[in-house]
Amino acid sequence: MATVGKPCKVWSAARHVRKSMIARDLQDLLKRGKAKLSFSDTEEVKIVLEDDGTEVDEDDYFQLLPSNTIFILLGKNEHWKPASASSKVNNQSLDEVDFKHSTEVDGNSVDSRLVDVTTRIRNDVATLITLSNLELQLVSECDTTTLANLVENTEEFAGSLQNACQRYLDDRESATNAVELLKLYHCARKGQGQRKGHGECKGHGDSMQS
């Protein structure tokens, strides 16, 4: 089974073009980043961190960086420059819109939210109980083979993971329905109490008048 790697982002030097991707290692980042930013295979490209321009030229360092790190790929005559305040705002907006759609995993388009969720699960399976209903649904409805690749485990494990997610969803739905029923019961009892109290007050007033 192929190793998935981690989600990251590659931007052009001017920060106008930004792509999301999955990279297994630094060489994979370079190769895929070149293709996404329209560099030729033979073109010399330098990888730097977007926030401070630090060059990333060792795979060991790349592996230590967190998921969704932003890299800038610089061509031969390009240089890193700090982003202006307006550029940071614009780029953040573009990043949020683009990355939430899909990420390429071994040639297949996968919802980037699913990649983020499975990365968390891969690091700690106990994360499962903290997932939102939407995240649980993403996992439970994912193709089992794709999910196995994302969590870097067997299809049997992926299937068990999907069953667990579905059970959590069902349990939460049952709990929600139970709470709604309790609310209705409470409102009904409260209404009956108010009507009964009003009747008692009215009867007491009538007896006083008589």
Side-chain angles (χ1 to χ4, degrees):
M1 181 164 30
T3 301
V4 175
K6 58 184 172 184
C8 53
K9 304 166 188 179
V10 288
W11 289 4
S12 65
R15 296 178 172 82
H16 294 157
V17 180
R18 199 272 309 159
K19 301 290 183 179
S20 58
M21 58 182 287
I22 296 290
R24 299 183 181 88
D25 51 38
L26 187 61
Q27 189 60 35
D28 192 35
L29 172 66
L30 181 62
K31 180 180 179 181
R32 297 191 183 195
K34 278 185 174 183
K36 288 182 175 290
L37 297 181
S38 301
F39 286 103
S40 68
D41 291 339
T42 58
E43 193 168 353
E44 291 184 12
V45 171
K46 183 166 63 174
I47 301 174
V48 302
L49 297 178
E50 186 276 333
D51 56 356
D52 63 5
T54 300
E55 182 175 2
V56 181
D57 58 1
E58 293 184 358
D59 185 60
D60 288 343
Y61 180 70
F62 168 77
Q63 298 296 342
L64 292 174
L65 294 171
S67 296
N68 297 323
T69 294
I70 302 173
F71 300 94
I72 287 182
L73 270 59
L74 301 174
K76 187 175 181 179
N77 296 317
E78 293 179 322
H79 302 280
W80 177 86
K81 294 180 180 179
S84 62
S86 60
S87 176
K88 287 182 179 178
V89 172
N90 291 335
N91 283 327
Q92 182 180 11
S93 176
L94 287 171
D95 179 69
E96 291 171 351
V97 171
D98 184 77
F99 193 69
K100 72 180 180 181
H101 288 157
S102 65
T103 298
E104 189 176 285
V105 178
D106 291 335
N108 298 318
S109 181
V110 176
D111 191 314
S112 294
R113 293 169 299 180
L114 178 61
V115 174
D116 178 65
V117 170
T118 52
T119 298
R120 284 148 51 196
I121 293 174
R122 194 168 65 243
N123 292 333
D124 182 6
V125 72
T127 301
L128 191 68
I129 63 176
T130 68
L131 299 182
S132 67
N133 288 354
L134 175 59
E135 290 171 331
L136 289 170
Q137 187 174 354
L138 284 171
V139 175
S140 64
E141 294 180 352
C142 178
D143 174 74
T144 304
T145 301
T146 299
L147 181 61
N149 284 330
L150 287 169
V151 297
E152 299 182 6
N153 213 307
T154 64
E155 290 190 19
E156 182 179 2
F157 174 82
S160 298
L161 185 62
Q162 289 177 306
N163 289 334
C165 287
Q166 189 59 54
R167 285 198 300 272
Y168 273 119
L169 280 172
D170 293 341
D171 289 345
R172 287 181 182 179
E173 183 177 0
S174 297
T176 300
N177 291 338
V179 170
E180 290 301 319
L181 286 174
L182 285 173
K183 286 181 179 179
L184 290 174
Y185 178 76
H186 176 70
C187 289
R189 291 285 296 176
K190 186 176 181 181
Q192 289 176 356
Q194 288 176 342
R195 288 194 296 273
K196 183 178 179 181
H198 179 70
E200 290 175 348
C201 291
K202 184 178 181 180
H204 181 69
D206 292 340
S207 63
M208 290 289 291
Q209 291 177 0
S210 61

